[in-house]
Every structure is written in structure tokens, then in C-alpha cells.
Amino acid sequence: MSSAAVQAIREPKYYTVKRHLLENIESLEPGSAVPTERVLAAELNTSRTTVRQALVELVAEGRLVRRQGSGTYVAEPKMTWPLHLTSFTEQAAANGFTASTQLLAAERIKADEIVAARLGIEVGEPVCRIERLRLADDRPMAVETSHLSATRFPRLAWHMKKEQSLYAVLDRVYSVVPVTAEESISTAPASTREARLLNTDTGAPMLVLGRHSLDKSGQPVEWVTSWYRGDRVTFVARLSSPG
Ligand code: GLP
């Protein structure tokens, strides 16, 4: 059997509709209105349920946006976000955006086993936990939770109530600069809280970045988890051969 025949048998109907819609979207400007489910179903000679399934996926992938009570439109292209050991503030500026931040929490907690291992401290030692909403040109991009040793960085929560950039505070107040980091990327659905903060739907696909950064002496600086809207951003890493 040819591979085309295999595809024809296995491809669900909604996926064929989705591919067809995707081809149409590519020729349209961002902001163009997409016909209603009813019109598309009639045009494509299929059910509204099938069209809806295709549209839901295209919205989740950031190709279309739904506006409540108004309709469905072609989305703006995603932001390309290079992965560098820079701060959100610096990276947004390098990408041509203005960063802003809403502080959601800045508190002292006790290290659990995971945080203690990441920060190289004992379980139960004080940790500064900072939760922030990060925006680029006023568009919510990510919910970011940072953990740093409260012993190593005394009064950090107080500083973060006044400042936007964690890396600027680390450098200016504590003379600490992260110089190496491990960054992980995984996917997860948005919780109701993240969805509300990021102005999206519960269950929307998120890209979850985990950064563990170290200073020049190899001491852990931060353990950070950042939940980005998967429909808004494409992360790009520049790779080079190890040889
Ligand atoms: C990025 C990183 C975080 C880091 C933050 C600092 O978002 N993923 O690990 O803490 O930048 O950014 P800023 O200095 O703007 O607070």
C-alpha cells in the first residue's frame, strides 16, 4: 500500500479540514475574519462538530484567535524568543519589545527537598519565592516562579517589590551574575489560575521552561519555572557541534 493510501485511511476527517483551513490561513493577513462554523461546514461538506474540532486545534496552536461574541480571526505571528542566559527584561528589549512585570507574590518559604537540592541548601532553610507575571508590550507572556536562597540574598523580596528585573537586582545589590544555566522545556496544560493571568483558556497548551542557573564559582543562583503561552512564542536555541 502506498504511503498516500495509508494517510488517506488513517487521517481523521477533522484533520483534513484543519489542513485545508491552514492552507487558507497562510494566504490571509493577521486579523482577517474566518467564516463561521456553519459556513465552513457547508463549504467543506462536513459537520459543524468536525469544523469545530479543527478550529479548536488551530486556536490552541496560535494560528487563529477567538474573540468572545465576535468571531474567529487569523492570529498575529508568534514571537520568536531566542534561548540565551539573559533576563526576561533584556531578551524582550533585544526582540524589540518593552518588558513589564506584575509582582504576584514575594515571600519567604521553607525549602522542600526539590528546591533545597536545586539551590544547594538544607531542607527547611529559608527561600525567597517570587511569582511574577511577565509581559511584552503589555501582552501577558509568562507566569514565572523563582526560588533563591533567602540566606544568600537577604531582603530580596523587599527589593523585588520595587524593581522589575531580578537579574538587575542580583547584579547591583548582591554582585551576582548567573553565568551558566541548564534550561529544560516541557509542555503542560494551563491551570485555571495561569489561564486567567495569561488571558487564555484553562487547558491551553503551555511551554514550561525550568532554569537552574549558577554563578562563576558554580554556586546555584536561582531555580525558576516559567509558564509561557504556547500559542504566542517559539523558542529558538542556537546549537553547535561539540567537536
Ligand atoms: C528569564 C529566566 C529566569 C530569570 C529571568 C530574569 O525569564 N527564565 O530564569 O530569572 O529571566 O528576568 P528579569 O531580570 O527581567 O527579572
Side-chain angles (χ1 to χ4, degrees):
M1 197 185 295
S2 73
S3 64
V6 170
Q7 195 184 27
I9 293 166
R10 293 211 181 134
E11 186 169 277
K13 181 80 200 253
Y14 91 90
Y15 203 81
T16 312
V17 171
K18 181 182 167 190
R19 278 199 296 117
H20 176 84
L21 292 173
L22 206 46
E23 276 166 29
N24 288 355
I25 290 168
E26 269 153 20
S27 63
L28 295 171
E29 290 293 315
S32 307
V34 172
T36 61
E37 274 173 23
R38 190 175 50 76
V39 170
L40 287 171
E43 254 177 41
L44 302 169
N45 194 23
T46 187
S47 71
R48 283 180 65 167
T49 314
T50 303
V51 171
R52 189 172 310 136
Q53 200 180 351
L55 291 175
V56 163
E57 277 199 8
L58 290 166
V59 169
E61 288 167 14
R63 308 303 295 257
L64 296 175
V65 279
R66 267 192 216 280
R67 297 204 193 105
Q68 209 70 45
S70 159
T72 308
Y73 300 86
V74 176
E76 295 290 329
K78 290 187 189 189
M79 291 182 186
T80 301
W81 206 266
L83 289 175
H84 291 309
L85 185 42
T86 48
S87 71
F88 181 88
T89 308
E90 290 166 320
Q91 195 56 59
N95 293 357
F97 304 112
T98 304
S100 55
T101 297
Q102 281 173 27
L103 186 67
L104 304 170
E107 57 185 5
R108 228 174 132 95
I109 60 166
K110 285 186 176 165
D112 62 17
E113 273 181 25
I114 295 169
V115 173
R118 291 287 178 173
L119 297 182
I121 60 178
E122 297 296 326
V123 173
E125 273 192 51
V127 166
C128 179
R129 176 183 173 278
I130 302 157
E131 190 185 35
R132 297 177 294 167
L133 178 64
R134 317 299 317 250
L135 302 98
D137 283 357
D138 293 330
R139 294 172 85 197
M141 295 295 294
V143 177
E144 188 159 78
T145 307
S146 316
H147 293 92
L148 297 95
S149 161
T151 310
R152 184 169 182 205
F153 303 110
R155 289 169 63 75
L156 178 59
W158 182 83
H159 286 289
M160 292 312 296
K161 286 178 185 154
K162 304 198 307 177
E163 307 259 354
Q164 299 266 323
S165 169
L166 172 65
Y167 281 11
V169 169
L170 290 179
D171 189 7
R172 186 173 48 78
V173 179
Y174 306 98
S175 304
V176 168
V177 177
V179 295
T180 58
E182 189 179 276
E183 190 130 79
S184 62
I185 306 179
S186 54
T187 60
S191 69
T192 304
R193 180 163 184 268
E194 283 143 8
R196 185 175 50 76
L197 289 165
L198 295 169
N199 202 10
T200 186
D201 301 324
T202 302
M206 298 280 121
L207 287 167
V208 187
L209 268 60
R211 182 179 291 184
H212 184 218
S213 68
L214 313 175
D215 66 13
K216 64 176 185 306
S217 64
Q219 248 193 301
V221 176
E222 57 169 358
W223 163 238
V224 182
T225 309
S226 313
W227 289 65
Y228 280 82
R229 276 184 58 157
D231 61 344
R232 287 233 164 127
V233 64
T234 300
F235 290 109
V236 178
R238 196 169 289 277
L239 310 179
S240 53
S241 135

